[in-house]
Amino acid sequence: MSATAAPAALQTGHIGLNVTDLDRSLDFYRRVFGFEVQGEGRESGRAFAFLGREGRLMVTLWQQSEGAFASGVPGLHHLSFQVETVEEVRSAEEVLRGLGAGFKYDGVVPHGEGAASGGIFFTDPDGIRLEIYAPTGADTAAAPVASAPTCGFF
């Protein structure tokens, strides 16, 4: 394979996140996304959990950080999770409101002016920016910023 050829079957594997409190993050990610714990470790200084659905590993949590997510430095911008319908997005929004999550915008918003896709934009307990969206059904609301992608500026 040359340095410019991409593998034919390339796809995203799992996402690893540093968290400050494993128990708090486990509760959040299980309740919001319906993740199952596929494995975990609780040794001194080595607390972690593997989360997924239907046998597929999706997110790993590593309790090895302090402070809050820093959006102003190079690195992760946000994580986005796709669901099938805007109704599923709204159901997740209800759970998040019950957990006291912070939202960037009020309710479901489109990815751009006139776009059918869209969702909700929120933060986890450590301030990590997250999105849950559906490919259709969000075009009933105005985009928060008409001239730029909604998910790029939160």
Side-chain angles (χ1 to χ4, degrees):
M1 184 168 96
S2 72
T4 59
L10 182 65
Q11 63 179 323
T12 302
H14 68 274
I15 305 296
L17 300 174
N18 282 340
V19 299
T20 58
D21 181 326
L22 183 61
D23 290 326
R24 178 181 68 178
S25 292
L26 267 173
D27 182 58
F28 179 87
Y29 282 88
R30 290 176 77 190
R31 289 175 68 183
V32 173
F33 296 101
F35 287 143
E36 302 156 353
V37 177
Q38 295 180 340
E40 89 184 273
R42 299 280 183 158
E43 296 176 26
S44 178
R46 295 183 185 269
F48 64 89
F50 296 161
L51 305 175
R53 293 176 75 175
E54 299 173 2
R56 180 173 176 241
L57 178 62
M58 298 179 77
V59 173
T60 60
L61 303 175
W62 306 92
Q63 183 175 304
Q64 57 184 14
S65 62
E66 296 177 358
F69 178 75
S71 62
V73 296
L76 177 71
H77 184 274
H78 74 283
L79 297 179
S80 177
F81 296 90
Q82 180 179 329
V83 296
E84 292 185 15
T85 67
V86 74
E87 289 76 20
E88 290 173 281
V89 176
R90 289 190 178 104
S91 291
E93 180 184 10
E94 286 182 38
V95 171
L96 287 159
R97 292 203 185 279
L99 292 170
F103 288 85
K104 174 65 176 178
Y105 310 109
D106 188 31
V108 175
V109 296
H111 280 129
E113 197 60 42
S117 66
I120 54 175
F121 301 85
F122 58 98
T123 56
D124 82 351
D126 287 303
I128 297 170
R129 296 181 297 193
L130 302 167
E131 168 188 7
I132 299 175
Y133 80 96
T136 61
D139 50 355
T140 59
V145 179
S147 63
T150 303
C151 64
F153 298 95
F154 87 101

